[in-house]
Amino acid sequence: MLNAEQRAIIKATVPLLESGGEALTTHFYKMMLNEHPEVRPLFNQAHQASGDQPRALANGVLMYARHIDQLDQLGGLVGQIINKHVALQILPEHYPIVGSCLLRAIEEVLGKDIATPEVIDAWGAAYGQLADILIGAEESLYQQKAQALGGWRGTREFRLVRREVESCEIVSFYFAPVDGQPVLKAEPGQYIGLQLFVDGQEQRRNYSLSALCDGVQYRISVKREPGGKVSNYLHDALKVGDTLQLFPPAGDFTLAAGDKPLVLISGGVGITPTLAMLEAALKTTRPVHFIHCARNGAVHAFGDWVDELAARHPQLKRFYCYAEDDGSQHADALGVLNQELLAEWLPRERDVQVYFLGPKGFMAAIKRHLKAIGVPPGQSRYEFFGPAAALV
């Protein structure tokens, strides 16, 4: 438990972290991954190279330090972290590794004149407090998933039973358990964790479930990323009949029940979790506005499927925006999804529930547009596929 003096030290170091937090976390990751190769599968190396992971950690550390007296003010951040950890199977034995490397990084980056023994002790106590919170919450979630119908803990072997090309960039993969038993039903919007080996090295990734779970199998739809080690392996090497290990579904970005009109907005591969949400919503009577943005028709996945749903369900209105004119005339608009288009495509009454996903710049723009046209901020939600970041 942190004492008053330690809390005061934590808060006093916030300005130092604000000015140099990313440098500190970059040094931390480099040290930890070099000295502890056993934790490398838990971290996406592409996110390390881009700086997204260090920035996300720096932001999380700052949020924690700023609210050290009122941890309830962290809002949904803790839930997001817990679910990401569970999907990748972060375990209690991983926390001491992270903690020791983080304290060393603080000392080495800030220097011993600033990172005094008292500062290191305070941060050690703060990290211990946070680790206890996360470990306890994650254990509860692990137990819950293991005890649920079709649930399990740790890895479970699944077989690829079907592949489907959805666009020139996206392929869907259908996995069924090798043991033939039921699988845990996922909530619309959740993701699944994969453990696989590429070139002899273990990799772990989270992918959104792109279809409503039927208790029999899971579907993910993966975009081929340039240089992406796992996405290219899945596209090029994983064949029907091959097996790999899956972790139970997780994620708190899920479709909430309600009768307000539902608006689903996606850009690119951000469409994947909205597909399960759309399926679930169409089992009710609530109006749905489905808005998807793509570069062109060649990369637009699931368009025909959504069109078929719209033809069968009068409650569904769908709109497509293409960045490029490919001559297909499938798009309702060309260019970017600006404020005027969004205002036109949303219900006239702005008392709606909105979920949006896509590239960071896209989501930042959507967030601004929704506020400008009068959608209550508390009625829109978004999630990052990779490390979280501020949307400005």
Side-chain angles (χ1 to χ4, degrees), residues 10-11 13-14 17 60-69 123:
I10 295 299
K11 289 188 286 187
T13 57
V14 168
L17 293 177
V61 169
L62 282 170
M63 287 281 288
Y64 176 58
R66 290 191 193 108
H67 298 94
I68 198 70
D69 286 330
W123 271 99

Side-chain angles (χ1 to χ4, degrees), residues 336-356:
V336 298
L337 180 57
N338 56 33
Q339 182 178 320
E340 291 72 24
L341 273 177
L342 198 57
E344 178 185 342
W345 288 349
L346 258 63
R348 188 181 301 274
E349 172 57 53
R350 305 306 194 205
D351 186 21
V352 297
Q353 191 71 47
V354 183
Y355 294 78
F356 61 97

Side-chain angles (χ1 to χ4, degrees), residues 162-346:
R162 179 182 168 194
R163 288 173 55 112
E164 196 74 35
V165 175
E166 308 291 359
S167 77
C168 68
E169 293 182 333
I170 295 175
V171 173
S172 288
F173 301 87
Y174 296 75
F175 297 102
V178 171
D179 61 22
Q181 298 301 306
V183 297
L184 178 66
K185 285 194 175 182
E187 295 295 320
Q190 288 192 311
Y191 44 81
I192 198 84
L194 276 65
Q195 180 194 51
L196 61 165
F197 291 83
V198 181
D199 298 328
Q201 294 185 332
E202 182 186 356
Q203 305 285 340
R204 299 188 189 187
R205 292 291 189 275
N206 294 332
Y207 289 106
S208 294
L209 293 165
S210 61
L212 200 59
C213 183
D214 59 5
V216 176
Q217 62 182 11
Y218 297 121
R219 185 182 79 178
I220 62 172
S221 302
V222 180
K223 176 187 175 184
R224 182 194 293 274
E225 298 289 351
K229 184 169 289 188
V230 173
S231 68
N232 280 277
Y233 172 85
L234 293 173
H235 275 245
D236 297 334
L238 194 68
K239 309 300 181 187
V240 171
D242 290 347
T243 62
L244 49 70
Q245 302 294 327
L246 266 60
F247 304 125
D252 61 355
F253 180 75
T254 55
L255 181 63
D259 55 7
K260 296 182 188 297
L262 174 66
V263 180
L264 301 172
I265 307 172
S266 57
V269 76
I271 194 173
T272 51
T274 68
L275 301 173
M277 292 180 174
L278 177 59
E279 282 189 88
L282 292 180
K283 293 179 180 295
T284 72
T285 59
R286 69 191 301 188
V288 183
H289 288 233
F290 187 91
I291 301 171
H292 180 63
C293 301
R295 290 200 312 279
N296 52 51
V299 301
H300 180 186
F302 304 102
D304 291 342
W305 180 77
V306 174
D307 289 347
E308 291 173 6
L309 289 178
R312 290 190 281 114
H313 296 273
Q315 74 201 81
L316 171 60
K317 299 182 185 302
R318 68 100 180 115
F319 305 91
Y320 303 139
C321 182
Y322 287 178
E324 305 165 355
D325 185 358
D326 61 1
S328 67
Q329 299 185 333
H330 197 203
D332 299 281
L334 298 174
V336 298
L337 180 57
N338 56 33
Q339 182 178 320
E340 291 72 24
L341 273 177
L342 198 57
E344 178 185 342
W345 288 349
L346 258 63

Side-chain angles (χ1 to χ4, degrees), residues 106-120:
I106 291 173
E107 187 174 39
E108 293 174 7
V109 172
L110 298 184
K112 292 188 177 181
D113 289 341
I114 297 175
T116 63
E118 291 77 17
V119 168
I120 296 300

Side-chain angles (χ1 to χ4, degrees), residues 64 71 78 82 95 127-138:
Y64 176 58
L71 296 182
V78 174
I82 290 166
Y95 281 89
Y127 177 80
Q129 174 180 274
L130 179 61
D132 287 344
I133 293 171
L134 296 179
I135 289 171
E138 288 157 15

